[in-house]
Amino acid sequence: MSAPTYTRPPRSTRGGVDIRLPWWALALPVLAFVALLLLILNPADAHAAAEQPAISHLLERLEQLTGR
């Protein structure tokens, strides 16, 4: 009993690589960069978020972990 062998598909005859990214592949990193930049430029928003008990506890724990 013989096992089937798999062969590689033939290579493309074109010389270049044709990769098309969806629109969100560029939009999401740009959006994240802008959001982080706005947080850096306006730290008052970050301070207001730290006044909430759950977030404040999380930030304190994060500071403890990074301080080691």
Side-chain angles (χ1 to χ4, degrees), residues 5-13:
T5 59
Y6 297 101
T7 59
R8 290 184 178 179
R11 290 188 175 197
S12 175
T13 57

Side-chain angles (χ1 to χ4, degrees), residues 3-36:
T5 59
Y6 297 101
T7 59
R8 290 184 178 179
R11 290 188 175 197
S12 175
T13 57
R14 296 189 312 184
V17 177
D18 185 27
I19 297 176
R20 295 186 54 126
L21 293 176
W23 64 269
W24 49 264
L26 181 62
L28 289 179
V30 169
L31 182 64
F33 177 78
V34 169
L36 290 173

Side-chain angles (χ1 to χ4, degrees), residues 31-52:
L31 182 64
F33 177 78
V34 169
L36 290 173
L37 184 63
L38 289 175
L39 282 176
I40 290 171
L41 293 177
N42 193 3
D45 292 339
H47 180 67
E51 292 175 359
Q52 297 174 358

